[in-house]
């Protein structure tokens, strides 16, 4: 089978990370660099990727995300006050400059990051609510503290690490997933 298609079929969302097993900085850098090669509207490269390996900042963002869950009564598999990042020691946050195509450019970077992680043996999961986090004053302050300026929209987080237990088998693909117009 084609190597890229094999990676696509093999990738699963991890919901139980080993918090003690951080991917190496070199591996995280490779994953992030792959994200920079995702296609963007007119090649403008509007997204940015924030690699968070600092445990204090990671835990702060986890609390912010958890507060959004409980504040909005969202349906989630994370218990209130729990870790919405499932113990992942690293997260990659994707933000995109305000633009007409921001909501298209950001998700393709997210997908590219997750496929790159899988190709390097690193588990991942896409976690939402970055938009709400970075619309808040606390989120804006995090960006200022990192030296990031401009109007950015939070797209999502890619939680990274190594699974603490085996991942589930893939679900069967639904029968009417593909339609042909011949």
């Amino acid at each position: 089978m084609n190597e890229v298609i094999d990676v696509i079929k093999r990738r699963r969302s991890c919901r139980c990370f080993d918090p003690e097993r951080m991917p190496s900085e070199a591996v995280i850098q490779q994953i992030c660099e792959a994200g920079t090669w995702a296609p963007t509207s007119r090649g403008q490269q509007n997204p940015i990727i924030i690699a968070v390996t600092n445990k204090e900042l990671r835990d702060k963002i986890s609390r912010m995300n958890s507060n959004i869950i409980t504040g909005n009564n969202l349906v989630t598999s994370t218990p209130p006050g729990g870790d919405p990042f499932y113990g992942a020691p690293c997260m990659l946050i994707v933000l995109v400059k305000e633009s007409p195509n921001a909501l298209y450019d950001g998700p393709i970077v997210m997908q590219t990051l997750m496929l790159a992680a899988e190709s390097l043996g690193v588990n991942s999961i896409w976690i939402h609510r970055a938009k709400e986090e970075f619309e808040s004053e606390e989120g804006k302050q995090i960006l200022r503290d990192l030296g990031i300026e401009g109007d950015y929209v939070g797209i999502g987080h890619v939680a990274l690490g190594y699974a603490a237990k085996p991942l589930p088998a893939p679900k069967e693909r639904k029968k009417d997933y593909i339609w042909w117009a011949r």
Side-chain angles (χ1 to χ4, degrees):
M1 178 180 295
N2 174 285
E3 185 179 340
V4 174
I5 293 173
D6 184 51
V7 169
I8 292 168
K9 288 183 171 186
R10 190 174 66 229
R11 199 206 75 75
R12 296 282 163 277
S13 292
C14 180
R15 289 182 174 83
C16 186
F17 290 92
D18 180 343
E20 303 301 317
R21 290 190 61 209
M22 173 78 73
S24 72
E25 192 168 312
V27 167
I28 295 168
Q29 182 62 41
Q30 284 181 23
I31 295 167
C32 289
E33 185 192 352
T36 71
W37 287 95
T40 59
S41 174
R42 296 186 293 160
Q44 292 180 329
Q45 302 179 37
N46 281 329
I48 61 171
I49 303 163
I50 303 169
V52 179
T53 56
N54 175 290
K55 183 167 176 20
E56 184 179 318
L57 180 57
R58 179 249 181 256
D59 290 349
K60 179 179 185 174
I61 293 169
S62 174
R63 281 190 300 278
M64 290 169 61
N65 196 289
S66 183
N67 288 339
I68 293 165
I69 293 171
T70 56
N72 291 335
N73 296 318
L74 298 173
V75 176
T76 179
S77 58
T78 306
D83 179 15
F85 299 100
Y86 302 101
C90 175
M91 72 174 72
L92 306 178
I93 304 167
V94 175
L95 304 167
V96 181
K97 277 187 183 175
E98 282 280 0
S99 69
N101 291 311
L103 296 180
Y104 303 106
D105 290 347
I108 200 161
V109 171
M110 296 282 294
Q111 179 68 17
T112 301
L113 292 168
M114 291 188 294
L115 291 175
E118 180 65 31
S119 76
L120 295 169
V122 178
N123 301 110
S124 67
I125 187 170
W126 179 323
I127 303 296
H128 293 288
R129 296 170 295 280
K131 180 180 186 300
E132 295 87 349
E133 287 168 10
F134 292 98
E135 285 177 342
S136 75
E137 191 49 47
E138 190 174 15
K140 290 176 185 177
Q141 186 61 52
I142 289 171
L143 296 180
R144 285 191 294 270
D145 291 348
L146 293 171
I148 298 170
E149 297 178 11
D151 293 325
Y152 284 95
V153 175
I155 299 298
H157 316 78
V158 176
L160 291 177
Y162 299 99
K165 61 184 182 182
L167 299 179
K171 292 180 181 178
E172 189 71 29
R173 302 293 94 178
K174 65 182 185 175
K175 299 289 183 230
D176 61 349
Y177 219 133
I178 301 169
W179 291 78
W180 284 86
R182 293 186 171 122

